[in-house]
Amino acid sequence: GAGVSQSPSNKVTEKGKDVELRCDPISGHTALYWYRQSLGQGLEFLIYFQGNSAPDKSGLPSDRFSAERTGGSVSTLTIQRTQQEDSAVYLCASSSTQTGIEQYFGPGTRLTVT
Amino acid sequence: QKEVEQDPGPLSVPEGAIVSLNCTYSNSAFQYFMWYRQYSRKGPELLMYTYSSGNKEDGRFTAQVDKSSKYISLFIRDSQPSDSATYLCAMSEWTSYDKVIFGPGTSLSVIP
């Protein structure tokens, strides 16, 4: 079946602009995660959704970052007033369990802020 | 000190070699230990996971956990060029929900 999809695959934006990143999880997966991966760095946790609720937002780096999930499916990560340090690959993962042990990742969105 | 440490490499081995990839961690409450493989410009994919201490084997891959030393390993036997990727270890305390903490990854190249 279809895996996790993300769009766009690449995004180049100017400093100060807002961007929206989209994640389509595997159908039926109730848990959804957003991560950020910078060059040479591990995966930095951003936010976790269970259904449409976000019980853990502790990884969002600042109030410029927000995320929502609708219909227990699609999620959007929004970055307002982008900064150069926001440049990274943003990865989305979904899971059928709450434990997060088996996560299925999308290909990521490569964000470049110029 | 980071919660999970991993030698970033790069590690370069000849085809057919046995590869050992390792992580150390500081949180003794971690109970689940995972290994993900990430090809260039792709998302990570789960290779295998283990619970608590011990070994787990899946084909050419063996995961080993030593909780007393806070040390985990992934062994790859008969390494192939297709194994060339970045390998990320990950860990979780696991209660009803818990964050999974990822290591920075080790870059592996298997040379034909």
Side-chain angles (χ1 to χ4, degrees):
Chain A
V4 178
S5 61
Q6 292 185 246
S7 60
S9 55
N10 283 284
K11 177 74 176 178
V12 180
T13 190
E14 291 180 353
K15 177 182 172 181
K17 301 277 189 181
D18 297 352
V19 295
E20 282 191 356
L21 312 180
R22 178 186 167 109
C23 172
D24 281 90
I26 293 172
S27 178
H29 279 194
T30 56
L32 187 146
Y33 307 80
W34 282 99
Y35 296 90
R36 179 167 71 176
Q37 187 173 37
S38 303
L39 189 63
Q41 303 297 311
L43 297 180
E44 177 189 2
F45 168 81
L46 297 177
I47 189 169
Y48 157 68
F49 286 93
Q50 182 60 235
N52 292 336
S53 301
D56 190 348
K57 308 178 184 179
S58 62
L60 294 177
S62 73
D63 58 8
R64 296 187 295 106
F65 288 73
S66 63
E68 65 174 11
R69 188 178 185 194
T70 55
S73 181
V74 172
S75 177
T76 303
L77 177 69
T78 301
I79 309 173
Q80 295 179 310
R81 304 180 303 281
T82 51
Q83 303 294 313
Q84 287 187 328
E85 61 263 29
D86 299 334
S87 296
V89 176
Y90 289 81
L91 290 157
C92 172
S94 69
S95 175
S96 60
T97 70
Q98 292 185 72
T99 63
I101 302 302
E102 293 184 72
Q103 297 185 28
Y104 295 84
F105 283 82
T109 293
R110 186 172 298 272
L111 176 66
T112 304
V113 182
T114 61
Chain B
Q1 182 189 14
K2 291 184 178 178
E3 275 193 288
V4 179
E5 309 242 22
Q6 192 174 4
D7 186 336
L11 181 62
S12 184
V13 301
E15 183 175 354
I18 296 175
V19 177
S20 173
L21 303 166
N22 311 295
C23 288
T24 58
Y25 62 94
S26 56
N27 184 353
S28 58
F30 285 142
Q31 295 190 70
Y32 279 91
F33 303 90
M34 293 143 275
W35 286 96
Y36 281 82
R37 177 175 62 196
Q38 185 175 23
Y39 291 115
S40 180
R41 296 188 173 262
K42 301 286 188 184
E45 57 177 328
L46 180 67
L47 280 175
M48 55 200 306
Y49 69 88
T50 55
Y51 173 72
S52 194
S53 285
N55 292 1
K56 185 173 183 178
E57 188 173 318
D58 184 359
R60 297 185 295 110
F61 298 88
T62 299
Q64 196 171 78
V65 175
D66 181 350
K67 290 189 73 178
S68 62
S69 301
K70 298 192 184 73
Y71 188 87
I72 71 169
S73 300
L74 177 71
F75 298 97
I76 307 174
R77 290 186 301 280
D78 186 26
S79 55
Q80 303 294 309
S82 58
D83 295 329
S84 298
T86 296
Y87 290 80
L88 301 131
C89 63
M91 308 176 187
S92 171
E93 292 183 30
W94 189 65
T95 50
S96 57
Y97 152 73
D98 207 1
K99 274 201 293 283
V100 174
I101 308 299
F102 285 82
T106 297
S107 175
L108 171 67
S109 291
V110 180
I111 311 301

